[in-house]
Amino acid sequence: MRRARAVSCAGWIVAALALAALALFAFESRDSYVGAKVAAALPPPAARVPADWSDASARLLIVGDSRVARWRPLPAPAGFAVAMSGVGGETSRALAARFPALLAETKPDRVAIQTGVNDLVAASLAPEAAAAILGGLRRNLAQSVQDARAAGVEPILFTIVRPAAPGLARRVFAWSDDIHDHVRAANRDIRALAAAEDVAVIDADALFPGEGALPPAFAVDALHFAPAAYAAFNRALAELLPVLPR
């Protein structure tokens, strides 16, 4: 009898945990869905431009998705004013669409591009479309490089940082470990593009130890970074910018 009660109790606990995970995922999915729809319906937010931007002798614009929008602490490389333009949920295609107007508006000297993780999430969840999505990411980055050069702006490419381990709800309902293979493939493409076009590249993924999931010290969730990760990006920018030709 006691064993039967214990089994029954364990079953209820498992069921309750499953329902809690489902409820959490439902709320997260609704927030993500609403946020994506609102972002798509509104014009992209203006770039965050510092007060000294117009008078600065050198200007760096950093563009991308929520990984850029959440960038804290902000970079402060010596000799550069820095503007930020990050849009949550943005794919490389959406960035490429707004990129020329953004360059015309801000008129930077250099632009650092950190994009692609949302493309790779989609590729990992839709294996039948993965090759097309990865091909689109390559083309979008190449187009952004061309658009920067056409505007007289020198681009800097970031490789895509691998995700951290997902939480239970995300892993159960909206996750595939295939994303790690896609990150490696996309980063090979980014390095090849940088070499072919003579573009500076920050191998952002290589800044962090290991080859599996991003270590927890650098992550706040599966796709977003803790301040320690942004501090590593800031150091990489501070080391790269002085050695680039003006």
Side-chain angles (χ1 to χ4, degrees), residues 2-193:
R2 289 179 180 173
R3 184 176 180 182
R5 287 177 181 167
V7 171
S8 176
C9 183
W12 280 108
I13 291 172
V14 170
L17 289 173
L19 287 172
L22 180 61
L24 176 62
F25 178 72
F27 281 118
E28 289 181 345
S29 296
R30 181 183 182 279
D31 287 345
S32 297
Y33 178 80
V34 171
K37 290 300 182 184
V38 170
L42 295 173
R48 290 182 295 167
V49 176
D52 62 346
W53 183 255
S54 297
D55 298 326
S57 58
R59 296 183 292 271
L60 170 68
L61 172 65
I62 302 178
V63 301
D65 47 40
S66 60
R67 290 176 158 190
V68 170
R70 296 180 178 217
W71 196 306
R72 300 290 189 283
L74 292 172
F80 278 83
V82 181
M84 312 291 291
S85 181
V87 178
E90 186 174 64
T91 62
S92 64
R93 180 180 181 183
L95 172 60
R98 71 182 178 97
F99 194 55
L102 182 62
L103 294 176
E105 172 194 346
T106 55
K107 297 180 173 60
D109 300 300
R110 293 194 174 273
V111 58
I113 304 169
Q114 186 180 118
T115 189
V117 72
N118 291 310
D119 306 61
L120 302 186
V121 170
S124 70
L125 296 175
E128 70 283 357
I133 292 171
L134 287 167
L137 174 57
R138 287 193 295 271
R139 291 190 297 275
N140 295 332
L141 285 171
Q143 184 63 55
S144 294
V145 167
Q146 292 175 18
D147 288 340
R149 290 254 170 89
V153 180
E154 274 302 306
I156 299 169
L157 295 176
F158 275 72
T159 62
I160 300 168
V161 177
R162 61 198 184 276
L168 176 62
R170 181 183 281 274
R171 175 168 289 283
V172 171
F173 295 104
W175 189 257
S176 169
D177 285 334
D178 288 348
I179 192 169
H180 291 285
D181 291 332
H182 295 324
V183 167
R184 285 188 285 270
N187 284 343
R188 286 194 294 270
D189 289 339
I190 291 171
R191 296 183 196 104
L193 173 63

Side-chain angles (χ1 to χ4, degrees), residues 199-221:
V199 172
V201 60
I202 290 178
D203 197 344
D205 190 57
L207 296 174
F208 308 105
E211 296 184 355
L214 183 68
F218 300 105
V220 295
D221 58 34

